[in-house]
Amino acid sequence: MGKSAGRDTGIFAVACLCGMASGMFGIGGGVLLVPLLALLYGFSQHRAQGTSLVALIPPTGVLALIAYAREDFVSWQTGLLLIPGVFLGGIVGGRLAEKLQPERMRQVFAGILFALGAWQAFSAWRR
Amino acid sequence: MFPVCCGSFKEGLLAAAGREKIEGAQRFFIEDLLAAPKLNMTLIILLLGLGVGVLVGLLGIGGGVVLVPAMVYLLGMDQHLAQGTSLFILLPPIGLGALREYWKQGQVDLRAGILCAIGMLLGAYGGSLVALPLASRHLKGLFGCFLVVSAILLWRKAEFEGKPVAAKGESARG
């Protein structure tokens, strides 16, 4: 029982950290949550991904969104256009995940993210 | 395509019609030209959404991490605007379709998921308070650093799959 409470507290703390990143960078937080659940709590890959999707069902970013909207930092039209595609694509991706080798996918994705991030940081702070 | 055929049609009009008509036709032509990129943009945005969605299902992520740079570089948005829009997109449960597939396979830890949802709700508000006063340039740079860190974590995760015991010592970090 005590161990389970400790695990819960730890997961909650990890989630708060992911939430910080989510509000700061306008992302869902899953990209941090998935590897952290797996690395710190030994979740299997599929289980970490499924659990991350649960965490993304309620509108966790709603408070952050209100803060951004107050500063007029939201393009509502672009957002509305993106939503149906992301939803439909999500179903396709969920099916694909069972068939494809997710490890290979993740490594390719990690490589792309690394390059993208390095480039973005460089282009922002050059000069 | 459309403005091109319209253009030849309009040339015919220009040759045949009087001065006023020409101006009217040209104005119409310009409107067509303006409308066409808008249509292309709409199409690009729709396709972008679909592509990001596949990643959402495939990797169990929210999609924002791809959406934000895509909106900054493909759609030419400001960093703050891209982040705010991304938060808006993540408002409805876009991962629901993907979640159903995982649920069918029994690959969901509901208790941990709910805990994470609550933690992220609070954390996200704190994060937005940090980000909003920052200059767009610094926020963009920080976002880049964040991408690098998550890329490393994702990569480590991929390696960790093979050897579950070796990574136990990592739990001190985080």
Side-chain angles (χ1 to χ4, degrees):
Chain A
M1 193 60 210
K3 201 181 171 194
S4 155
R7 181 179 180 267
D8 286 352
T9 315
I11 289 180
F12 185 73
V14 166
C16 283
L17 187 79
C18 295
M20 275 298 274
S22 160
M24 257 190 94
F25 301 121
I27 56 164
V31 75
L32 264 188
L33 194 59
V34 170
L36 285 178
L37 280 180
L39 284 170
L40 301 178
Y41 292 97
F43 279 55
S44 82
Q45 184 54 37
H46 279 102
R47 202 167 174 78
Q49 295 188 179
T51 305
S52 158
L53 286 171
V54 173
L56 297 174
I57 290 307
T60 52
V62 71
L63 296 176
L65 175 66
I66 292 169
Y68 275 84
R70 227 185 272 137
E71 307 269 329
D72 210 14
F73 281 138
V74 181
S75 168
W76 303 99
Q77 197 195 355
T78 310
L80 281 176
L81 283 170
L82 280 167
I83 288 171
V86 176
F87 178 74
L88 291 176
I91 297 174
V92 175
R95 296 242 163 101
L96 273 178
E98 290 154 21
K99 287 172 189 141
L100 283 181
Q101 259 219 307
E103 284 325 301
R104 182 87 283 144
M105 256 308 296
R106 190 173 341 284
Q107 286 184 336
V108 171
F109 182 65
I112 294 170
L113 267 194
F114 190 93
L116 194 64
W119 177 41
Q120 183 155 349
F122 176 76
S123 71
W125 282 327
R126 176 184 48 189
R127 268 188 293 176
Chain B
M1 277 301 262
F2 184 55
V4 176
C5 11
C6 250
S8 58
F9 173 57
K10 241 124 234 174
E11 272 167 31
L13 259 187
L14 292 180
R19 183 96 187 109
E20 285 171 37
K21 286 255 175 78
I22 292 173
E23 275 182 9
Q26 264 173 344
R27 205 178 311 132
F28 186 53
F29 182 37
I30 289 166
E31 274 169 17
D32 280 347
L33 269 183
L34 284 177
K38 221 181 205 172
L39 190 73
N40 285 344
M41 207 49 134
T42 307
L43 211 69
I44 289 174
I45 294 174
L46 286 173
L47 285 176
L48 179 67
L50 206 61
V52 169
V54 172
L55 283 177
V56 169
L58 208 51
L59 302 170
I61 58 171
V65 77
V66 198
L67 272 172
V68 172
M71 284 192 282
V72 169
Y73 288 111
L74 288 181
L75 308 181
M77 279 188 180
D78 170 77
Q79 183 72 25
H80 278 103
L81 185 65
Q83 294 189 181
T85 306
S86 166
L87 282 173
F88 169 51
I89 295 159
L90 300 174
L91 205 52
I94 44 174
L96 203 56
L99 176 64
R100 219 177 114 245
E101 302 296 321
Y102 282 88
W103 187 264
K104 277 193 224 152
Q105 309 267 316
Q107 298 285 10
V108 175
D109 186 332
L110 201 59
R111 185 189 174 88
I114 292 169
L115 274 171
C116 288
I118 300 167
M120 280 163 66
L121 179 75
L122 300 175
Y125 183 61
S128 69
L129 293 185
V130 176
L132 285 172
L134 282 178
S136 234
R137 192 162 78 95
H138 293 311
L139 191 59
K140 201 174 163 188
L142 280 176
F143 188 90
C145 294
F146 171 76
L147 284 190
V148 169
V149 171
S150 23
I152 294 169
L153 278 173
L154 271 178
W155 188 274
R156 284 199 61 88
K157 170 71 200 70
E159 285 197 329
F160 162 74
E161 277 295 282
K163 35 180 180 173
V165 188
K168 276 282 183 231
E170 283 298 305
S171 31
R173 208 168 55 100

